[in-house]
Amino acid sequence: MELLKTLITSSEKAANIARLLRHNDKLFQKLIEQKPIEEANPRFQEDFKTLADVLIQAMVKHDVGQKFPSMGERVYGEESNHFFSKKLNKELIVEVKCNSIDTALMLAELLNDDREIANILAEEIHKDVSIEEINTKILPDETISFDLEQLSIWIDPIDGTNEYIRGGYDEKIENVYPKGLKCVTVLIGVYNSEGHPVMGVVNQPFFEQRIDEGFQCHWGVCSHENGCTKRLSSLEISPERKKSVVICTGGTENIKILETLRKSGFKLITACGAGYKLLTVILGVSDAYILSKGTTYLWDTCGPHAILLALGGGIVEMAGIKSNQRNDLKYKEPENSKCNKLGIIAYRNTEVLEKLLQLPWDNY
């Protein structure tokens, strides 16, 4: 469970960096870089990566490598560690050094020699964060052991980058924030050599205790060994049963799918950010998240998938639903496609999945 503790504290350091950069408007505008076509998400006309994205991914890789040297090279993420400096007209490599002084020197080059900001960021990267400082459920005494040599990590340093860039705080609709900074998440997922997610962390950097309910950081662990399933989570396994089944979708979902769901009596809600939509299922605000398109990736789903498994749910391929198949998402190293190209259905309760499997899906 020491690995989980490391990932939770790294997610909080990530949240601190995201907040620090976002709240300095002058600096923030300098740090946005448009992604090249081959890296961009096809859902958006413009996709962006920010220094926050790149820094956070490098930091998690560094933190994990420091505590668990054998895993350092098996931390994969959405972003490359390259960032283009317009002033220098060259691409720079972003990497966390052995100490804050050297990291600050690297960052100063990126930040047009702004030593003050570089030092502040370097201090955050190298800061020791105690798990007691984090708004999360304290880890139980019970432990689940894993063979670290069999584990790898997928991270999405800032999921909902477009919402992160746009900013703003929208009001809740049906207990869900449809867009804005509340939809931004840090996603960290651990999977084993068989492709099964076993540990996940979801952190909401812009969670506010005076407004929002529950924890800012959620986690879950699920292990299947010797015919025995062990589950631990920051959340209760059985959410309160609701009269109507609520389905979360994106704003561009196939209209025929939406019609099928409405005609079958499901209530629909929409939100931005794959991680946040998955979080609505984790929290029991929605009963499932349906996406028919191949616009999520392994880094989006791995962490939330592990938490859902810890709660008795899961994520299956949407395409399999036509033939009543439950094909669980599998995870792998990033040699080939990293896209969940067959769509996804995330659920917290198997009864909800059963209901969805029985619907007439032939018309899409």
Side-chain angles (χ1 to χ4, degrees):
M1 298 297 280
E2 195 63 28
L3 175 59
L4 177 60
K5 183 178 178 181
T6 297
L7 298 182
I8 291 172
T9 53
S10 287
S11 80
E12 185 63 15
K13 288 168 65 176
N16 289 338
I17 293 169
R19 288 187 288 261
L20 176 65
L21 290 174
R22 191 62 187 79
H23 291 153
N24 186 322
D25 289 339
K26 185 177 179 181
L27 173 63
F28 185 75
Q29 292 305 318
K30 293 180 181 179
L31 300 181
I32 298 170
E33 178 187 82
Q34 186 166 340
K35 289 185 180 180
I37 294 296
E38 62 271 17
E39 291 184 26
N41 188 323
R43 280 187 54 226
F44 304 110
Q45 289 183 344
E46 291 182 325
D47 200 350
F48 298 87
K49 66 179 176 182
T50 66
L51 182 57
D53 284 303
V54 182
L55 264 183
I56 289 168
Q57 186 167 304
M59 182 198 68
V60 174
K61 188 179 183 71
H62 174 267
D63 286 0
V64 171
Q66 287 285 95
K67 293 278 184 69
F68 311 97
S70 67
M71 291 190 67
E73 295 306 313
R74 298 197 303 277
V75 178
Y76 311 116
E78 176 181 9
E79 306 297 345
S80 71
N81 65 339
H82 295 254
F83 196 84
F84 185 78
S85 169
K86 292 181 180 178
K87 182 175 182 179
L88 299 174
N89 194 33
K90 69 175 182 178
E91 197 166 66
L92 302 172
I93 295 176
V94 180
E95 58 183 343
V96 175
K97 306 295 185 178
C98 294
N99 57 66
S100 61
I101 294 173
D102 289 341
T103 298
L105 289 172
M106 179 272 299
L107 289 171
E109 188 176 16
L110 280 169
L111 299 169
N112 301 331
D113 209 32
D114 190 329
R115 299 300 178 94
E116 180 183 359
I117 293 296
N119 287 333
I120 291 171
L121 284 171
E123 287 175 11
E124 288 293 338
I125 290 167
H126 290 275
K127 181 188 290 184
D128 288 328
V129 174
S130 168
I131 199 165
E132 285 75 23
E133 302 172 37
I134 304 170
N135 182 17
T136 190
K137 184 177 180 179
I138 301 300
L139 296 178
D141 293 332
E142 182 183 355
T143 61
I144 299 177
S145 60
F146 294 97
D147 179 357
L148 296 183
E149 297 296 329
Q150 302 298 314
L151 301 182
S152 301
I153 295 173
W154 274 109
I155 172 174
D156 190 342
I158 293 184
D159 183 74
T161 307
N162 284 270
E163 299 309 304
Y164 183 62
I165 290 168
R166 292 189 190 107
Y169 292 90
D170 274 43
E171 294 294 323
K172 275 187 177 180
I173 299 175
E174 302 288 349
N175 289 319
V176 170
Y177 291 105
K179 59 182 179 177
L181 289 171
K182 299 284 189 178
C183 298
V184 174
T185 53
V186 177
L187 309 173
I188 307 176
V190 181
Y191 66 96
N192 63 22
S193 58
E194 296 178 348
H196 302 303
V198 296
M199 191 180 296
V201 175
V202 176
N203 196 314
Q204 289 183 279
F206 299 96
F207 180 97
E208 296 174 90
Q209 285 186 266
R210 62 187 179 86
I211 296 174
D212 302 314
E213 297 179 0
F215 296 120
Q216 173 192 317
C217 182
H218 306 277
W219 51 265
V221 181
C222 184
S223 169
H224 301 282
E225 289 187 2
N226 302 320
C228 179
T229 300
K230 293 183 179 179
R231 296 186 175 100
L232 291 174
S233 177
S234 57
L235 294 150
E236 297 295 327
I237 289 181
S238 298
E240 182 181 346
R241 301 301 302 149
K242 299 187 287 288
K243 291 182 179 178
S244 61
V245 175
V246 179
I247 306 294
C248 188
T249 68
T252 61
E253 186 51 82
N254 184 313
I255 191 168
K256 291 182 178 179
I257 288 177
L258 299 179
E259 288 174 356
T260 296
L261 291 169
R262 287 194 187 98
K263 288 178 180 177
S264 302
F266 293 99
K267 185 177 181 179
L268 304 184
I269 57 174
T270 60
C272 289
Y276 181 67
K277 288 193 276 283
L278 288 163
L279 184 58
T280 68
V281 185
I282 289 169
L283 296 176
V285 176
S286 70
D287 297 283
Y289 164 38
I290 287 183
L291 175 66
S292 63
K293 303 173 183 179
T295 51
T296 65
Y297 296 81
L298 301 180
W299 52 75
D300 292 314
T301 54
C302 189
H305 194 171
I307 300 176
L308 285 168
L309 288 172
L311 295 169
I315 304 181
V316 297
E317 294 174 343
M318 175 67 180
I321 204 168
K322 287 185 178 181
S323 53
N324 202 36
Q325 293 180 339
R326 308 177 202 188
N327 301 322
D328 293 329
L329 291 191
K330 292 289 186 69
Y331 299 85
K332 56 193 174 184
E333 296 183 0
E335 282 90 0
N336 300 308
S337 173
K338 299 173 281 289
C339 176
N340 299 314
K341 60 183 179 180
L342 298 178
I344 63 171
I345 297 177
Y347 63 96
R348 182 166 165 162
N349 190 297
T350 53
E351 292 179 12
V352 172
L353 181 61
E354 290 290 344
K355 290 180 180 179
L356 292 171
L357 287 169
Q358 293 168 13
L359 297 185
W361 294 110
D362 295 336
N363 60 347
Y364 91 91

